[in-house]
């Protein structure tokens, strides 16, 4: 049987080992080996915690992963390394370029979809965890497609046109707009 005073001394020694000061309201610093942003805080002053308690979650938000549900009928069209365009709902005028880094191989039996992970550079911190977005995955069928700025389109009635230069002369060409 251990003595309560020896248990207290062991606890104090452990706290001192991690840099805690003694007395009421002892404080100590927490460090992480991951550089990033605190995205979740579960700690409160005076809270009793143990080694299994998750106090903070730190994430590198400069590179974000977007998980996309893709219908199983499109399984053969999605390839690792394929380019993607991310269109966040919260930022309707912005587009982010990304790449498919993982194309899942397990189909959800209820939704008939599989998970695809798209990685996006987020150096300005505009994308946040939990945001909803539309994602366009460019497949091998898109090889002949071209993405151009919307302001380059010239509407004529219900049709859209672009101008291209052929042999030094501008030629109008009707285009189809994909989603």
């Amino acid at each position: 049987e251990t003595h309560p005073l020896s248990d207290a001394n062991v606890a104090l020694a452990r706290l001192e080992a991690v840099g805690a000061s003694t007395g009421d309201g002892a404080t100590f610093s927490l460090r992480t080996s991951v550089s990033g942003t605190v995205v979740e805080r579960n700690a409160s002053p005076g809270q009793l915690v143990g080694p299994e308690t998750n106090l903070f979650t730190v994430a590198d938000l400069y590179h974000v992963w977007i998980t996309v549900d893709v219908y199983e009928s499109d399984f053969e069209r999605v390839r690792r390394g394929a380019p993607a365009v991310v269109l966040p709902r919260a930022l309707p005028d912005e587009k982010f370029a990304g790449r498919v880094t993982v194309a899942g191989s397990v189909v959800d039996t209820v939704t008939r979809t599989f998970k695809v992970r798209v990685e996006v550079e987020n150096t300005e911190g505009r994308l946040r965890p939990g945001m909803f977005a539309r994602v366009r995955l460019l497949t091998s069928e898109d090889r002949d497609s071209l993405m151009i700025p919307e302001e380059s389109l010239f509407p004529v009635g219900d049709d859209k046109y672009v101008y291209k230069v052929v042999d030094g002369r501008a030629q109008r060409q009707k285009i189809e707009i994909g989603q």
Side-chain angles (χ1 to χ4, degrees):
E1 185 174 319
T2 61
H3 189 273
L5 189 53
S6 64
D7 286 344
N9 288 337
V10 169
L12 284 173
R14 287 183 179 166
L15 286 171
E16 287 174 4
V18 294
S21 58
T22 57
D24 282 343
T27 61
F28 60 96
S29 298
L30 295 176
R31 290 189 175 83
T32 177
S33 59
V34 178
S35 65
T37 304
V38 174
V39 294
E40 184 178 9
R41 176 181 176 232
N42 299 314
S44 299
Q47 177 182 353
L48 183 61
V49 299
E52 73 286 345
T53 307
N54 179 14
L55 299 175
F56 298 94
T57 301
V58 177
D60 172 8
L61 297 180
Y62 294 110
H63 311 277
V64 296
W65 292 352
I66 298 167
T67 304
V68 182
D69 290 320
V70 177
Y71 291 112
E72 75 176 310
S73 58
D74 294 322
F75 180 79
E76 289 297 318
R77 298 174 54 209
V78 178
R79 297 277 181 252
R80 186 172 178 221
V85 178
V86 177
L87 307 155
R89 273 193 204 162
L91 307 169
D93 297 330
E94 296 186 50
K95 296 178 183 177
F96 297 84
R99 287 235 172 259
V100 173
T101 55
V102 175
S105 55
V106 177
V107 175
D108 183 298
T109 57
V110 176
T111 63
R112 307 311 303 173
T113 60
F114 64 99
K115 301 288 185 196
V116 171
R117 185 172 70 204
V118 173
E119 190 170 316
V120 178
E121 295 293 316
N122 187 35
T123 54
E124 294 181 23
R126 302 284 293 145
L127 297 173
R128 308 283 171 89
M131 283 180 138
F132 283 101
R134 281 187 351 194
V135 177
R136 177 159 160 64
L137 302 177
L138 304 178
T139 66
S140 57
E141 295 171 9
D142 294 317
R143 272 189 230 146
D144 296 329
S145 297
L146 177 66
M147 295 190 68
I148 60 171
E150 194 169 333
E151 53 270 10
S152 297
L153 302 178
F154 294 91
V156 177
D158 290 337
D159 297 326
K160 304 277 189 220
Y161 293 88
V162 295
Y163 284 89
K164 64 181 185 174
V165 177
V166 178
D167 297 326
R169 298 183 61 190
Q171 292 182 349
R172 185 172 81 167
Q173 180 174 338
K174 184 177 173 183
I175 61 165
E176 293 181 32
I177 298 177
Q179 293 296 323

